[in-house]
Every structure is written in structure tokens, then in C-alpha cells.
């Protein structure tokens, strides 16, 4: 890690994939016998729902997202903007016609090769210890040198862990999901009982991360609508992280046309969503010990440890990453269009639909009044 500006007290590290050699690829058996908890009366209730101006507000109970200011801890060629600077430069705004949030990279200024281009990184003020996290975007940053991500992270990286829900670089076809932990051998994504309980492909199995070896345990989606151009061509979609201490971490991706009706209706029932793209079982990962007090982060960096490493040339991208950053026109499509972010919490039983206690009281009162009138 490098000396970080104060605004990066939530120290972290992104996934760095040095090279694909030595990573493990299982032959994707895709068994459909999945042992996810099937809960009758499964109820998730909205805890926080962020949309439109919510991302710019600092007024409880609608908690704000902080605009992280300064250089990028992953050494990306960006300079993150304050809320007021981002708004005045047109890098953060709400589309009033439908309340979507746009977070963009500067696509009008020329900067020096290897220089720093203005971008945006926002972090939720509130932190979470579990739940169902929903990220709905209709467009994500694309193109050579870009490195967009939606992820969560706890304090004192990597002690309280990191969960990369959406992440990738350059012209990557599919989404790369990963966990990072601060202790060795307490969290892996080995297949339990020889059965793969997710549709993605394992690329790294040990979640333990240090400043020098911080790839984490990686599962790559196999669906090309999960990232970059494929995601945007599908009008985006939803990513869902279910963080459940007793079961594990599950991540689903749904292209716009395939978002479950229960999720659209804000009554999500993840047990009905089928096999997730990524799953890290609590049988091979001590979730409680490794993940706590996570804040959510949305950002776009350029080049940096991952996008600008050896993978840049391997991606078929032209020239060098440093030269790429100089040219404003390369960043016209480097923007997020975010419909909403929501966090749900599980409620045992049918709490959400319990009849109001006022109802019997109203009936009793009516009866009393009726009897008095007689
Ligand atoms: C805002 O949203 C409307 C309605 O979906 C869309 O037609 C328009 O292109 C969007 N404007 C911008 C600047 O993204
Ligand atoms: C974690 O432990 C394994 C097994 O002891 C070891 O091979 C590996 O190098 C360790 N990882 C790190 C990053 O220290
Ligand atoms: C793995 O097998 C053990 C022993 O049969 C069982 O208790 C456990 O639930 C199985 N795990 C999964 C994920 O199927
Ligand atoms: C999950 O574990 C974390 C970390 O120990 C804890 O703070 C949290 O309360 C647990 N969540 C639930 C729902 O039990
Ligand atoms: C900038 O990038 C665009 C698109 O990649 C390219 O057509 C153009 O020639 C580049 N301009 C310069 C000055 O490098
Ligand atoms: C806003 O409009 C854009 C462009 O038409 C669309 O992709 C996005 O899903 C819309 N967002 C909402 C919240 O309706």
C-alpha cells in the first residue's frame, strides 16, 4: 500500500491479476443440485434504498455517499473529484427525466501521457454486516484502460475483508468476482463435496490477500452480458450479493430482460433465483471472522495496478496505457448510469406481512362505541 490521503482511511486494494498462468480452471460441471437454504416465508425488507439525489445528500435517515477526493490507492491515472467539482465538471449528475445517477470519467480535457484524468469514486457512509445488496445499472464504463468496480470493503484492509461484486479491466468480456481476506487458510473457494455450486469459473482459490499478493479468490462469470459492452448491449442489469454468515457469499447477475419479478417488486426471494454466478461457501470460508463493517464503493479508475499492467497489451488494446489516458475521446463511454442501490435485510417469519395490531383495536373500539350507542 502507498501513503494514502486521509479520505482513503478505508484502505483497500483492488484485485491484481498478474497473469493467468498457474490459475486453476475447473471444467465447469454446472451441477444443478444446489444446497442453498430454501426458506419458507423468506422475507427480505429494504433497509436502505439509494436513488437519484440520495447519492448527493448528507441528511439522515437518507445516508449520503462520500465523494473520495485525491489520487487513487491503486495508482490509477485518475484524480478523484469532490462532489462539487464532480458536479460542476459534469462528472456526477442526475438524469432528471428518470432519476438515474451518472458517474463519468472526464472525456473533454487533454492530459499529459501518464497523467491524471478526473474521475469519481463514491463510498457509502453507512456500513453493513450482512444482507442482500442490489446494484442496478443500465450502463457501465467501457474501453481500453478503464477499470470500473462496484465493491464493498471493511476497515483496516484486508482485516475486515473486501467483496468485489462487479469488476474488470480493458476489453474484458465477463465480470470478475472476488473476495479478499486478511488471514491465510480461513477462507477459500474450493468446491465443497466436489460439487460446484455456481455457474462461474474459479480462477484463484485462496482469498488471503496482502499488499503484494492481492488477487484474492476469484470466480469469473461466463455470461458476456455481465460486463462491459455485453452488459451495455443488454441495457445493463442487476448484480445481487447475498452476504449470509451461515451460508456464505452468493453473487448473481441478471441481464435487464431477466431480472426476477420479485426483485423488481422489491420483495426479493433469492432462494428462487437459481444457481448464482459466484458462491463462496461458509464451509470453506469463515465469513463471520473475515467480513464486517463493509461500506459500498463505486468507482472508475484508469490503468493502475491491474488495467495498466501486462494485461493491457494482452487485451488487444493499442499503444500503451499511459498514452491512452492522454486522449479525451477514449473516455466518452467511460461512465456509469446507475438506477439504484438497495440493501435488504432478512427477517425471520413473515414480519413484513404481519397484520397491523391496530386492526383488532379498531374493531374492538367500534364494537364498544356500537354497544354504547345501543
Ligand atoms: C435521460 O433519460 C432519458 C429517459 O430514459 C433518456 O432518453 C436520455 O437519453 C437520458 N439523458 C442523458 C443525458 O443520459
Ligand atoms: C498461505 O498459506 C499457504 C499454505 O501454508 C502458503 O502456501 C501460501 O504461500 C500462503 N499465502 C501467503 C500469501 O502468504
Ligand atoms: C457436504 O457433505 C457433508 C457431509 O455429508 C454435508 O454435511 C454438507 O452439507 C455437504 N455440503 C454441501 C455444500 O453440500
Ligand atoms: C455476521 O457476522 C458479523 C461479523 O461477526 C456480525 O457483525 C453480524 O452481526 C453477523 N450478521 C448476522 C445477521 O448475524
Ligand atoms: C484519440 O483516440 C481516438 C479514438 O481512439 C483516435 O481516433 C484519435 O486518433 C486519438 N487522437 C490522438 C491525438 O491520439
Ligand atoms: C433511465 O434511462 C436510461 C436510458 O434510457 C435507462 O437505461 C435507465 O434504465 C433508466 N433508469 C431508470 C431508473 O428508469
Amino acid at each position: 500500500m502507498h501513503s494514502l490521503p486521509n479520505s482513503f482511511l478505508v484502505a483497500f486494494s483492488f484485485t491484481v491479476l498478474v497473469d493467468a498462468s498457474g490459475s486453476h480452471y475447473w471444467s465447469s460441471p454446472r451441477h444443478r443440485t444446489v444446497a442453498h437454504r430454501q426458506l419458507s416465508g423468506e422475507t427480505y425488507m429494504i433497509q436502505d434504498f439509494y436513488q437519484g439525489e440520495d447519492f448527493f445528500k448528507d441528511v439522515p435517515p437518507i445516508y449520503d455517499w462520500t465523494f473520495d477526493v485525491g489520487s487513487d490507492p491503486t495508482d490509477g491515472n485518475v484524480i478523484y473529484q469532490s462532489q462539487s467539482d464532480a458536479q460542476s465538471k459534469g462528472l456526477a449528475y442526475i438524469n432528471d427525466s428518470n432519476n438515474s445517477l451518472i458517474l463519468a470519467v472526464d472525456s473533454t480535457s487533454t492530459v499529459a501521457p501518464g497523467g491524471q484524468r478526473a474521475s469519481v469514486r463514491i463510498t457509502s457512509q453507512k456500513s453493513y454486516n450482512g444482507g442482500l445488496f442490489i446494484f442496478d445499472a443500465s450502463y457501465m464504463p467501457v474501453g481500453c484502460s478503464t477499470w470500473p468496480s462496484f465493491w464493498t470493503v471493511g476497515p483496516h484492509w484486508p482485516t475486515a475483508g473486501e467483496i468485489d461484486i462487479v469488476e474488470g479491466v480493458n476489453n474484458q468480456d465477463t465480470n470478475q468476482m472476488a473476495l479478499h481476506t486478511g488471514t491465510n487458510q480461513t477462507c477459500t473457494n474450493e468446491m465443497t463435496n466436489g460439487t460446484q455450486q455456481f455457474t462461474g469459473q474459479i480462477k484463484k482459490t485462496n482469498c488471503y490477500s496482502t499488499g503484494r499478493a492481492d488477487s484474492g479468490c476469484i470466480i469469473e462469470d461466463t455470461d458476456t452480458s455481465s460486463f462491459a459492452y455485453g452488459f451495455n448491449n443488454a441495457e445493463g442489469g442487476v448484480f445481487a450479493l447475498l452476504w449470509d454468515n451461515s451460508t456464505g457469499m452468493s453473487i448473481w447477475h441478471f441481464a435487464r430482460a431477466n431480472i426476477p419479478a420479485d426483485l423488481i417488486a422489491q420483495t426479493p426471494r433469492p432462494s428462487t433465483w437459481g444457481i448464482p454466478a459466484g458462491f463462496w461457501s461458509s464451509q470453506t470460508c469463515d465469513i463471520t471472522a473475515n467480513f464486517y463493517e463493509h461500506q459500498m464503493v463505486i468507482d472508475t479508475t484508469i490503468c493502475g495496478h491491474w488495467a495498466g499492467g501486462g494485461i493491457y497489451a494482452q487485451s488487444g488494446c493499442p499503444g500503451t496505457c499511459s498514452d491512452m489516458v492522454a486522449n479525451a475521446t477514449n473516455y466518452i463511454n467511460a461512465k456509469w448510469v446507475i438506477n439504484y442501490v438497495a440493501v435488504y435485510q432478512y427477517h425471520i417469519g413473515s414480519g413484513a406481512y404481519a397484520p397491523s395490531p391496530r386492526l383488532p383495536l379498531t374493531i374492538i373500539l367500534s364494537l364498544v362505541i356500537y354497544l354504547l350507542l345501543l
Side-chain angles (χ1 to χ4, degrees), residues 310-330:
I311 201 169
Y312 180 82
Q314 291 162 27
S315 314
C317 289
T320 66
C321 207
S322 294
D323 286 344
M324 199 72 180
V325 72
N327 188 341
T329 59
N330 292 331

Side-chain angles (χ1 to χ4, degrees), residues 91-152:
L91 304 182
Y93 60 93
I94 306 304
N95 180 340
D96 289 329
S97 73
N98 73 353
N99 224 6
S100 54
L101 166 73
I102 291 85
L103 298 177
V105 174
D106 176 358
S107 61
T108 56
S109 311
T110 301
V111 304
Q116 291 180 313
R117 182 167 288 286
S119 185
V120 177
R121 170 178 146 140
I122 62 173
T123 301
S124 70
Q125 271 188 11
K126 205 164 177 178
S127 58
Y128 302 88
N129 283 297
L132 177 63
F133 300 78
I134 307 295
F135 180 73
D136 184 323
S138 57
Y139 195 91
M140 70 184 291
V142 288
C144 288
S145 82
T146 60
W147 176 358
S149 187
F150 170 65
W151 51 294
T152 72

Side-chain angles (χ1 to χ4, degrees), residues 129-131 243-246 287-293 345:
N129 283 297
W243 167 355
D244 178 329
N245 287 348
S246 56
I287 304 288
T288 313
N290 287 296
F291 301 92
Y292 49 89
E293 289 172 38
Q345 294 298 336

Side-chain angles (χ1 to χ4, degrees), residues 35 192-193 197 283:
T192 41
N193 299 351
Q197 302 176 71
Q283 293 179 18

